[in-house]
Amino acid sequence: MRRIDTHFWSPAHRDELSENDLWRIVDNVREGNLFRSPRLYFCCDCLERIEDNEVRCRCNLCSKMWHPRCIPSSPNDIYHLFHAYHPLKLLIDGPPVYSKGKCDACQEDLKSYFYHCSICDFSMHVRCSKNHPPPIVETAKCHEHSLTCMVRNDTFTCNACGTHGERCPYVCAPCGVMFHRECINLPHVINMNRHDHRVSHTYSLGFGNWKCMICRKMVDWRYGAYTCSTCPDKYVVHSKCATRGDVWDGVELEGVPEVYVDVSPFNVIEEGITIDHFSHEHLLYKIEDEDDIRDGSMRCEACVRPIFSETHYTCMECDFIIHETCANLPRQKRLWLSTNMFYLKVNNDDRTKSLFRCGACETTSDGFKYETEGPMPVSLDLRCASLISSYCDYECHPHTLFLTTMDKGFCGGCKLLKNHVLRCTESECDFYLCWACATLPKKIKRKGDEHFLFLRHGDEKEATGRYWCEVCETVLDPQKWFYTCHVSGVTFHIQCVVGEFPNAKPGFTYHYQRLLGDTTSLIYGRFYDPNEGEEKIELVPNDRITRPKCASCGSRCLRPLILRLSLVETYNVYCCDVKCSLQFLAETTGLYQNRRRQMYN
């Protein structure tokens, strides 16, 4: 159902959404997995999606749409409890120049339609004006007494969350406490995706210098916060941080008994020697003798990184091998990428082995993974799952980096804009690091090289063009991270050393959909018949004397792992990476279909 209104719409509808607004809509599409929806409508005021079966208001002069709650029912002035002194006038052409540009009720940006008092510079969204607060709250979760809304513009500090408010607190006069409207029903017991235990709300931490474990800012001990009663060192989180939508799953757990689950990944057969790990059918033996140094040709089954002299477990009956740190990872845990529980899943069966893309570093992997359950699972590789929420490397940066928000940022390692970054919380320090750079190996060995290559964290003082990559023989930007040999001094681009598949093992074969994704044109254009064989793609090491030529871009393949495509009539071609593979398959789809017609004829 669609409603068309004409009596109060602004004639100036030529203004477009800002770049920030467009990015917010893109984020809403990504977070809601709305890519395959046939139609997407977004409100031009709150920027939230308008559901297909929801009433929407459309301007008869343009294509813009709004929720009914985001537009006024009439252009008349209104009176509101939050601003009882003067009437609020409807403005339809954006906030005035002198205005701060934000709604005084929800603190979000103002858009097309809102109510405004020019005397007090008070503004309010239409949707906020329709949500009238109750004068008295009899059964508030935050306090044992009834609370009354005090209609004043005085600033105050909320006793539940410890942050400031600007008007209309809910107060208890006998106790002398004040609360934000949104804080009067804060949950008492919750689970967060940044901590393994439940946390509970308290209204006074007790004297001490407490720091929030999410935003890393100080917590005022005189006001409310969330704490963990299980951890020996007091774990403290701001009330606002703990109940953020990307941290809390929205479930109140007060009165719900806690169920303890055994998350141990193995049973100890002989202390310090033998274990029975859930991922393998045979017993595993611990190897920690420093004389047993491997050359890196063996890869850990879990994280798929080479094993050198690290302590590890190995199987005496087959070639299964796993780092000690990977073997100790719990079978389920809470991780920051989703508010749902993550479960450790094995990916070592040759018949069902597949690649996945890590949601944090966006790197392709075929090792073990932490994954949520449901129709749209979220996956994390073990490197990113082990890093959790902090990173400390004083060669990289003098301060510890933390995961504080889910905002984008420019990485100080690769100099690219990334969706998820760790950040420095020190004042006047604006440094970010993406998860792909944070999980790079500190040292690595290329096949055929005698010495290790070490990760170098850029050289801001050197001029661009001083270094050259030994693999691709192009200029290396010294302000970005790169690998270098401490003996010979040679330098390499990171991608030329680790390639596009640093977390994947060579030798495995996949149907192209598992590697390249659900590309509609390829799924329907290259339909295969299992009785006649199927097209496959194999990850192979680029270790031939002569590097193969890419079938798509025509250049010599340079990365350590490349793709070999086994196509119709069993002829093989090589491609540099996924991008070249997609391009080649798209260009040859017509030829593929012609050959299939000849086979049937």
Side-chain angles (χ1 to χ4, degrees):
M1 180 177 181
R2 179 180 298 175
R3 192 182 79 192
I4 302 178
D5 289 303
T6 60
H7 62 281
F8 62 85
W9 299 100
S10 168
H13 273 178
R14 294 182 299 274
D15 58 306
E16 299 296 332
L17 292 174
S18 67
E19 184 176 354
N20 290 336
D21 292 340
L22 293 175
W23 272 114
R24 180 173 169 184
I25 289 177
V26 170
D27 289 340
N28 288 338
V29 172
R30 183 184 297 112
E31 292 172 4
N33 296 304
L34 305 175
F35 297 99
R36 300 179 183 175
S37 298
R39 290 185 178 182
L40 291 177
Y41 301 111
F42 288 89
C43 175
C44 288
D45 190 75
C46 68
L47 304 181
E48 298 294 331
R49 185 192 178 194
I50 303 175
E51 300 294 338
D52 294 337
N53 59 351
E54 188 177 3
V55 176
R56 53 186 181 272
C57 302
R58 180 178 65 86
C59 174
N60 67 329
L61 301 178
C62 66
S63 59
K64 292 186 176 181
M65 297 186 182
W66 291 263
H67 289 112
R69 65 178 180 270
C70 294
I71 62 171
S73 56
S74 73
N76 299 327
D77 297 348
I78 65 168
Y79 286 87
H80 196 274
L81 178 63
F82 279 4
H83 193 75
Y85 315 111
H86 310 113
L88 299 177
K89 183 179 180 180
L90 176 66
L91 298 184
I92 60 177
D93 291 323
V97 177
Y98 62 83
S99 170
K100 54 183 173 290
K102 292 185 178 295
C103 172
D104 285 278
C106 67
Q107 301 303 315
E108 293 187 6
D109 292 339
L110 300 170
K111 298 296 179 182
S112 302
Y113 301 94
F114 61 94
Y115 289 104
H116 180 74
C117 174
S118 59
I119 301 174
C120 307
D121 187 20
F122 178 89
S123 303
M124 180 177 287
H125 287 125
V126 173
R127 61 180 180 275
C128 294
S129 70
K130 295 179 180 180
N131 187 15
H132 288 275
I136 299 176
V137 177
E138 296 289 350
T139 56
K141 296 185 69 173
C142 65
H143 196 62
E144 62 270 20
H145 304 145
S146 62
L147 302 175
T148 304
C149 183
M150 184 173 65
V151 185
R152 289 182 60 87
N153 290 346
D154 294 339
T155 60
F156 66 97
T157 300
C158 174
N159 287 84
C161 68
T163 61
H164 290 285
E166 294 187 356
R167 50 176 41 87
C168 301
Y170 278 85
V171 302
C172 175
C175 299
V177 293
M178 299 184 178
F179 304 94
H180 291 118
R181 180 189 178 186
E182 62 270 20
C183 292
I184 60 178
N185 286 316
L186 279 177
H188 286 174
V189 182
I190 63 173
N191 273 323
M192 303 189 308
N193 62 5
R194 310 295 179 90
H195 194 58
D196 292 330
H197 309 135
R198 291 183 176 186
V199 294
S200 55
H201 190 267
T202 179
Y203 289 97
S204 179
L205 293 170
F207 179 77
N209 294 321
W210 308 111
K211 182 175 287 188
C212 175
M213 300 302 291
I214 294 181
C215 71
R216 301 291 164 170
K217 296 180 180 179
M218 298 304 298
V219 180
D220 194 328
W221 62 271
R222 297 168 297 180
Y223 298 99
Y226 283 88
T227 63
C228 175
S229 59
T230 305
C231 295
D233 297 329
K234 202 163 188 177
Y235 185 93
V236 178
V237 181
H238 284 128
S239 299
K240 293 289 188 183
C241 294
T243 54
R244 274 175 15 198
D246 62 311
V247 175
W248 175 42
D249 59 6
V251 179
E252 163 70 87
L253 298 176
E254 185 179 22
V256 178
E258 188 169 6
V259 178
Y260 292 93
V261 179
D262 182 12
V263 298
S264 176
F266 59 80
N267 295 320
V268 177
I269 304 301
E270 189 173 355
E271 187 67 35
I273 299 178
T274 313
I275 63 171
D276 180 16
H277 199 272
F278 85 99
S279 66
H280 194 60
E281 57 184 343
H282 307 138
L283 297 181
L284 301 179
Y285 295 84
K286 188 173 185 179
I287 307 296
E288 58 182 350
D289 189 350
E290 294 184 357
D291 294 334
D292 186 75
I293 300 178
R294 297 180 178 267
D295 59 1
S297 59
M298 296 292 291
R299 289 176 175 252
C300 172
E301 292 289 336
C303 69
V304 205
R305 293 289 175 89
I307 293 180
F308 296 105
S309 58
E310 305 95 336
T311 302
H312 55 274
Y313 289 97
T314 186
C315 179
M316 298 301 181
E317 300 183 40
C318 62
D319 59 357
F320 185 94
I321 188 170
I322 186 172
H323 287 114
E324 181 186 29
T325 53
C326 297
N328 280 280
L329 290 173
R331 299 191 65 172
Q332 71 177 52
K333 74 185 283 93
R334 298 188 179 276
L335 297 167
W336 58 273
L337 195 59
S338 173
T339 55
N340 297 324
M341 181 69 76
F342 282 81
Y343 298 90
L344 182 60
K345 296 189 177 181
V346 179
N347 192 25
N348 58 4
D349 188 341
D350 292 352
R351 295 170 299 175
T352 60
K353 194 176 183 67
S354 62
L355 290 171
F356 68 93
R357 188 172 295 275
C358 175
C361 65
E362 300 179 355
T363 301
T364 303
S365 175
D366 62 4
F368 294 5
K369 60 183 175 180
Y370 276 102
E371 190 173 65
T372 60
E373 295 182 341
M376 300 298 293
V378 180
S379 301
L380 270 173
D381 64 36
L382 296 199
R383 290 280 175 172
C384 293
S386 301
L387 190 58
I388 307 179
S389 61
S390 64
Y391 176 85
C392 182
D393 184 352
Y394 295 124
E395 292 183 3
C396 155
H397 188 70
H399 310 130
T400 302
L401 306 177
F402 299 99
L403 175 69
T404 57
T405 67
M406 301 288 278
D407 297 332
K408 299 180 178 68
F410 281 94
C411 172
C414 59
K415 309 299 181 184
L416 298 176
L417 179 64
K418 293 301 185 72
N419 291 327
H420 308 300
V421 290
L422 297 150
R423 65 193 67 222
C424 181
T425 58
E426 297 294 328
S427 59
E428 302 180 0
C429 188
D430 190 24
F431 184 83
Y432 303 92
L433 189 66
C434 72
W435 293 78
C437 290
T439 54
L440 284 171
K442 297 296 184 293
K443 68 176 183 179
I444 194 170
K445 206 171 191 179
R446 297 176 67 241
K447 189 176 182 63
D449 287 351
E450 181 181 358
H451 306 118
F452 279 100
L453 300 178
F454 292 87
L455 183 64
R456 186 165 174 179
H457 303 100
D459 195 340
E460 300 286 346
K461 297 181 181 180
E462 296 291 346
T464 302
R466 177 182 176 87
Y467 304 118
W468 289 76
C469 177
E470 291 292 317
V471 174
C472 63
E473 299 180 350
T474 60
V475 175
L476 186 150
D477 185 355
Q479 294 187 0
K480 297 180 180 179
W481 289 10
F482 58 92
Y483 280 104
T484 183
C485 176
H486 290 172
V487 178
S488 63
V490 294
T491 55
F492 302 84
H493 288 116
I494 286 177
Q495 284 299 319
C496 290
V497 174
V498 301
E500 189 175 11
F501 306 100
N503 297 335
K505 294 178 66 175
F508 285 97
T509 304
Y510 311 89
H511 180 256
Y512 67 87
Q513 281 183 239
R514 291 184 177 179
L515 186 64
L516 306 180
D518 296 333
T519 306
T520 305
S521 61
L522 296 183
I523 293 175
Y524 293 101
R526 307 186 72 91
F527 179 81
Y528 68 92
D529 186 347
N531 296 324
E532 299 175 358
E534 63 176 289
E535 299 186 318
K536 295 181 179 180
I537 298 179
E538 185 180 6
L539 284 173
V540 297
N542 188 13
D543 55 2
R544 294 168 50 180
I545 298 177
T546 302
R547 292 170 177 165
K549 184 176 290 187
C550 177
S552 177
C553 67
S555 62
R556 296 290 178 183
C557 299
L558 300 176
R559 305 288 173 80
L561 283 181
I562 56 177
L563 302 174
R564 182 168 63 196
L565 284 65
S566 302
L567 304 179
V568 291
E569 296 186 356
T570 66
Y571 77 98
N572 297 329
V573 297
Y574 293 89
C575 288
C576 298
D577 48 31
V578 170
K579 180 180 178 181
C580 287
S581 300
L582 283 171
Q583 182 68 27
F584 177 78
L585 289 174
E587 292 172 352
T588 58
T589 295
L591 178 63
Y592 168 83
Q593 292 174 337
N594 290 334
R595 288 178 175 172
R596 285 186 58 81
R597 293 191 190 99
Q598 294 174 5
M599 292 169 62
Y600 280 109
N601 292 334

